[in-house]
Amino acid sequence: MRAYNFSPGPAVLPLEVLEQARAELLDWNGSGMSVMEVSHRGKAFMQIAAEAEADLRELMAVPANYKVLFLQGGATAQFAVVPLNLTRPDSVADYIDTGHWSKKAIAEARRYCTVRVAAEAGDAMRVPAQSELNLTAGAAYAHYTPNETISGVEFHYVPAVGGAPLVADMSSNILSRPIDVTRFALIYAGAQKNIGPSGLTLVIVREDLLGHARPETPSVFDYRAVAHEGSLLNTPPTFAWYIAGLVFKWLKRNGGVAAMGEANGAKARALYAAIDASSFYRNHVARDARSWMNVTFTLARSELDSEFLAQAAQAGLHNLKGHRVLGGMRASLYNAMPLEGVEALVGFMREFERRHA
Ligand code: PMP
């Protein structure tokens, strides 16, 4: 019996992907070996790597003048790697602050360049409007966090940032719906939510941004050097890359990001509707900034939090505890969470309210 796993990440993966990985674990493609056990320079792995990239390009309609890089270090490494590649010490970079993860990105970037906060909406659990953005002429880039995983605050528009290259930390909403990649100069994402296992970090970067890394940048984090080696500059996380490739094929079989967008919108609407219909549960995010991926809510009687979590787990609904900095609950509804999981959660919430309100 599979659990309904609402974890924010590492997160639920499609059952079909896990079953295929299990079936192939001891003997990948008649080799008598696991993907984990073979060289990253061998033909077999190179094919997995190339197919994963091609499938991702197709899914996201990545134009030919963008490189797709498979890196390590998580999104947290990118907080530093972005400024190392795109700035000099006297550069200014604009950051939109919408909460926890944008603040982390800002703090790290401040070690390398001057950061100007173009809008601060952080603790208000909302997204700034386009008209609120205070942008710097000549900024090296403008950075934002399309989905704040902890508070459940999501941009439902792509900010226009004048001439500056737009950089987005899409860790928790990549592949969740169609986006126009050409609006972005650089997209990065840790894999462990909508892509695959942790240990892999995806970077999609426009070619004109390559080749400007500071001299002290580690080669494994120099976008041009990594692109030049097809992300095989050193040993990559081969198994995570393989699983990501299986997830991309699952996405293609299931209608791609357009179908994911429809399904994710329906899942989120169902849960927010249940929260709004009751005075027992409450979501604190501005309506136009409610995340489709991470739905946060509190109980009117917070002394019931631990009972709610314990009984939810007994009902097969796991990892609903909110982040420690916010408290309350959080249901992460990534691509691999089926609508039935959300329906089961809504049913449980109604029943819990009936017994405790
Ligand atoms: N950015 C966002 C939006 C995230 O959700 C996370 C992880 N939850 C991070 C950055 C940090 O990612 P990592 O642990 O891969 O460094």
Side-chain angles (χ1 to χ4, degrees), residues 121-146:
D123 299 324
M125 296 182 98
R126 66 182 197 92
V127 151
Q130 175 69 50
S131 58
E132 289 174 62
L133 302 184
N134 199 344
L135 300 161
T136 308
Y141 62 89
H143 178 284
Y144 82 118
T145 312

Side-chain angles (χ1 to χ4, degrees), residues 73-76 79 101 145 147 149 169 171-172 190 192-193:
T76 304
F79 294 164
W101 291 112
T145 312
N147 186 66
T149 320
D169 171 5
S171 291
S172 50
Q192 63 271 20
K193 297 148 196 317

Side-chain angles (χ1 to χ4, degrees), residues 245-276:
L246 297 185
V247 170
F248 298 154
K249 291 207 186 294
W250 174 83
L251 284 169
K252 282 174 63 179
R253 285 197 303 279
N254 287 280
V257 287
M260 291 303 129
E262 304 260 313
N264 290 328
K267 281 158 25 187
R269 277 190 297 277
L271 186 47
Y272 285 118
I275 293 168
D276 291 343

